[in-house]
Amino acid sequence: MTASTGPSDTAERKDHLLVVDDEPTVRELLRTALRYAGFEVDAAETGGEALELAERRPPDLILLDVMLPDMDGFEVIRRLRAMPQPFRDGRGGEVSVLFVTAREDRQDRIRGLRLGGDDYITKPFDLEELVARIHAVLRRTRGERPSRLVVGDLVLEPESHHVARGGRTVPLSPTEFRLLHFLMANAGRTMSKSRILLSVWDYDFGGDPSIVDTYISYLRRKVDTREPKLIHTVRGVGYIVRGPRP
């Protein structure tokens, strides 16, 4: 796990994170790396300790390991969401939860998302990706949307659902737009088919994962009609949208 995100030099209020993990080495690594990335960080070893800390000082986001010694992460989030008084973060919004899972278990991910989780990441993970995920979750839960996404000469306007390549409009179906939006929002990062299915299609989707390949081919016919190609296959892993290399 590597980190390349430097400390924040803004004078604004820092986002407050609560890291919940029973492995001391991982917990300390995350606490140090996330503080270096500009966050305020508290850490808990158990679900019970996490609930106490969260109630005493509500964080903006909880980085929650699924496997804990006293209760699993699903029970922690269930108790948080079931509190009689609305559980709010330091800005008055609902506290975000990013699950950390030790294995690529689709049912665990679906369960966590249904219980109110906002995203998940699988161990082992890259710290730079984790920081990017945290920022993305916080933006999304606060209703902050970028006015546009740009990769090379490809432009996507989230509000108007307009897509253009080299200044020419690219007509897309709703599903094609969602798929392209997801890939461009994660530009430079390889997205697995399972992650694409969870994010672009319904979480309960149980069909053939080849539907991802089918829609990628649709996108390529509409988006990658000119050089350089922007949609790339990472064999055995998934897909990535990447701008032209310098």
Side-chain angles (χ1 to χ4, degrees):
M1 296 191 287
T2 60
S4 61
T5 305
S8 171
D9 47 17
T10 178
E12 297 178 359
R13 173 191 177 278
K14 292 182 179 181
D15 287 312
H16 172 215
L17 309 182
L18 173 58
V19 172
V20 188
D21 196 299
D22 64 331
E23 296 181 45
T25 304
V26 173
R27 194 167 61 249
E28 189 55 37
L29 171 65
L30 289 174
R31 177 164 30 198
T32 302
L34 293 173
R35 282 177 177 168
Y36 182 76
F39 299 102
E40 288 187 15
V41 185
D42 287 332
E45 182 178 358
T46 66
E49 184 183 356
L51 290 168
E52 290 179 11
L53 285 173
E55 196 163 13
R56 190 183 316 147
R57 187 192 176 199
D60 296 296
L61 179 142
I62 300 175
L63 188 62
L64 182 58
D65 194 7
V66 171
M67 302 300 293
L68 297 170
D70 56 342
M71 65 182 85
D72 61 30
F74 304 130
E75 178 63 16
V76 173
I77 192 173
R78 189 192 68 76
R79 295 191 187 188
L80 285 174
R81 301 304 191 210
M83 285 184 176
Q85 297 297 322
F87 187 62
R88 301 296 180 191
D89 63 22
R91 300 173 189 264
E94 188 171 49
V95 172
S96 303
V97 176
L98 195 161
F99 277 109
V100 179
T101 62
R103 60 180 185 275
E104 194 78 12
D105 190 319
R106 180 172 175 273
Q107 291 305 314
D108 277 358
R109 297 197 301 271
I110 292 173
R111 184 181 176 192
L113 292 164
R114 280 179 169 169
L115 286 170
D118 298 284
D119 200 356
Y120 72 91
I121 191 166
T122 305
K123 291 180 179 179
F125 49 78
D126 180 84
L127 284 170
E128 188 174 5
E129 179 184 356
L130 175 62
V131 171
R133 292 276 191 93
I134 290 170
H135 283 302
V137 167
L138 291 172
R139 283 196 305 268
R140 187 168 65 245
T141 55
R142 290 168 182 164
E144 300 171 16
R145 285 186 158 190
S147 58
R148 57 167 47 190
L149 297 173
V150 180
V151 177
D153 61 350
L154 178 64
V155 179
L156 182 147
E157 306 276 358
E159 298 300 327
S160 62
H161 279 226
H162 180 259
V163 176
R165 177 93 197 258
R168 292 188 176 185
T169 297
V170 179
L172 298 179
S173 72
T175 301
E176 290 167 349
F177 182 88
R178 289 197 305 273
L179 175 57
L180 182 61
H181 183 278
F182 176 72
L183 292 173
M184 290 183 69
N186 293 281
R189 292 160 50 198
T190 302
M191 296 290 107
S192 67
K193 289 184 184 179
S194 61
R195 178 150 181 78
I196 293 171
L197 282 171
L198 284 169
S199 300
V200 178
W201 280 266
D202 189 272
Y203 293 131
D204 286 326
F205 181 80
D208 187 346
S210 65
I211 191 171
V212 176
D213 304 317
T214 300
Y215 272 87
I216 288 289
S217 69
Y218 293 162
L219 277 183
R220 281 177 165 150
R221 290 173 198 167
K222 295 182 177 183
V223 171
D224 271 348
T225 56
R226 55 186 290 166
E227 295 293 338
K229 303 302 183 186
L230 301 177
I231 303 173
H232 303 273
T233 301
V234 180
R235 295 195 180 279
V237 182
Y239 296 97
I240 182 173
V241 163
R242 185 174 58 226
R245 296 187 182 279

